[in-house]
Amino acid sequence: MSALVFRLRNVPQEEADEVRELLSEHAIDWYETTAGNWGIAMPGLWVNDESELPRARELINTYQRERSETQRRNHELGKLRGDEITLMQRITEQPLKVAGIVLFCLFILYISINPFLRLIGYGL
């Protein structure tokens, strides 16, 4: 019987490709399901033989630990080199966009809170 070994929803394409390659390299018989036409089904990688599930799961867990360490290391290096964009950099690069977003958020907050403030007599 088949068993789900790796969910593909919200997984970067690069990671999904590497997991597919990992399963193939270790001769694990697998197949893939998509999210379907409307995106509501479970996209994932499945092993055909449930007895291979523990081995496949262990391979994927090891891969994800290594990938996580690599990604953290790359992020830290990017911060040290100054490649990572900070909030202040984003504000100075796109001040109108940031101001628009802040004003929109304040407008939504006003619309959400004003009816309750009117009920208690503090309406604006």
Side-chain angles (χ1 to χ4, degrees):
M1 178 176 261
S2 300
L4 179 65
V5 70
F6 190 71
R7 297 174 196 271
L8 292 174
R9 188 172 310 277
N10 300 322
V11 173
Q13 187 64 40
E14 173 190 337
E15 183 177 359
D17 291 340
E18 290 173 358
V19 170
R20 289 181 194 102
E21 186 178 318
L22 179 72
L23 293 174
S24 295
E25 283 176 359
H26 288 86
I28 295 175
D29 192 22
W30 61 274
Y31 67 94
E32 181 174 347
T33 56
T34 65
N37 291 336
W38 295 305
I40 58 175
M42 172 55 67
L45 300 178
W46 300 70
V47 292
N48 285 323
D49 185 6
E50 198 170 339
S51 66
E52 290 190 356
L53 181 63
R55 185 168 74 102
R57 197 64 248 158
E58 182 58 37
L59 287 169
I60 292 172
N61 287 342
T62 302
Y63 161 77
Q64 286 184 319
R65 275 192 301 273
E66 292 170 0
R67 181 176 171 82
S68 175
E69 291 169 8
T70 303
Q71 293 297 321
R72 277 196 194 98
R73 197 174 320 110
N74 290 343
H75 178 69
E76 291 300 321
L77 287 173
K79 281 174 40 178
L80 290 174
R81 287 190 307 244
D83 295 342
E84 299 291 321
I85 297 175
T86 64
L87 178 60
M88 287 308 296
Q89 287 173 333
R90 193 169 305 264
I91 290 171
T92 56
E93 288 175 3
Q94 302 174 341
L96 292 177
K97 182 177 179 182
V98 172
I101 291 171
V102 169
L103 287 174
F104 180 73
C105 290
L106 290 173
F107 176 71
I108 296 297
L109 184 64
Y110 169 76
I111 289 175
S112 301
I113 293 176
N114 193 35
F116 298 104
L117 292 177
R118 285 180 187 233
L119 284 175
I120 59 173
Y122 294 110
L124 300 173

